[in-house]
Amino acid sequence: MQQRYPTRERPLTARDYDLPVGWWGWNWEPPIPLSVTEILAAGNMDPRTAALCWLILEHHGSLLIAAEEPHSGKTTTLTAFLDFLPNRTRRVFVRGWSETFDYLRHTDPHQTLLLANELSSHLPVYLWGPKAVRVFRTLRRGYAIGSTLHADTAEEASEQLVDQLGVDPADLARVDVLMVMRIFATPHRGVARRVVSLHQMSSDDGQPAMRPLITRDDAIDRWEHDRAAEAELLVTRRGGEAGGAEHELGRREAFLQQLVRARCWSIPETRAALSGFRGETVPHSMRGDPTE
């Protein structure tokens, strides 16, 4: 993918925001995108975790993915999760250091997901400093956000965003969940990438607070879920009752398991299956890789 770096601030049109800039960061050869089903088949997470993220994103929620080591699967996972979005959701790729906030003029906050390829100061296409703080502030208007950052734990990620970057804890609390991933060396498979935790974000007396939803048991390579907390989060995000939330979560979990068993691996196939589950068709603009 050709790297394009912004050189000056100028008014951005609605179409400008549809195009990602340096989505995969600085790589001579950008990673090959994976489908959600490929990620599940690799054991990076269990289907219930993916189903929970599906429901959160489908109902206009926000998600941050953290990992300390490069190539841990942050951007690959976030990119795959974009296929959970309904057709009505507008994707806005924010412009790092050159962001002009013209998206405020072009978009409906309640139908728009802001996408930042990374929260860091490493590259001009990444989001950091006062502009990052302002992007989080626009969540007050009803926008949702999806992004990645380098941190090894949820606590470290929260400290980085609030204490180092200066994000208001109340704005960080508008992010629904924070996922942490790690990469492991294995004796037989080379490396393995795993989700190690998922936390619900909130604030308590003006301070960041996090509630663990999912934790990984390293000894048996399995995930433990706080099902009551998951249902409570979904009720907050989508309405209804806990029983209905659990039912919808179970339906999506079973559907993802079915796709994996059927070896539905390719991105177009997976995208079409997820759209069909929602009763939608894949829009023409989504029949290729949306991050190219």
Side-chain angles (χ1 to χ4, degrees), residues 29 31 44 86 122 263 275:
E29 293 186 10
N44 294 15
H122 296 154
R263 297 180 178 272
S275 294

Side-chain angles (χ1 to χ4, degrees), residues 14-52:
R15 178 168 173 77
D16 287 332
Y17 276 116
D18 291 335
L19 303 174
V21 176
W23 178 253
W24 298 98
W26 177 252
N27 291 279
W28 292 111
E29 293 186 10
I32 298 174
L34 299 177
S35 66
V36 172
T37 49
E38 288 178 298
I39 288 172
L40 291 175
N44 294 15
M45 69 187 75
D46 62 343
R48 185 179 176 93
T49 298
L52 178 62

Side-chain angles (χ1 to χ4, degrees), residues 152-175:
D152 191 52
T153 65
E155 293 76 15
E156 182 182 326
S158 176
E159 178 183 1
Q160 183 181 139
L161 294 173
V162 174
D163 297 338
Q164 298 180 30
L165 178 56
V167 173
D168 189 316
D171 292 333
L172 183 57
R174 289 178 170 85
V175 174

Side-chain angles (χ1 to χ4, degrees), residues 18-20 78-93 113 115 266-275 278 280-292:
D18 291 335
L19 303 174
L78 178 59
T79 303
F81 279 179
L82 297 184
D83 289 338
F84 290 146
L85 296 173
N87 291 350
R88 66 178 180 273
T89 301
R90 174 75 187 279
R91 305 158 189 230
V92 162
F93 293 90
L113 178 66
L115 291 164
S266 76
I267 290 175
E269 285 180 307
T270 304
R271 186 172 291 159
L274 294 172
S275 294
R278 295 191 301 267
E280 300 177 336
T281 58
V282 181
H284 181 76
S285 61
M286 287 295 299
R287 291 175 186 172
D289 179 1
T291 62
E292 290 184 345

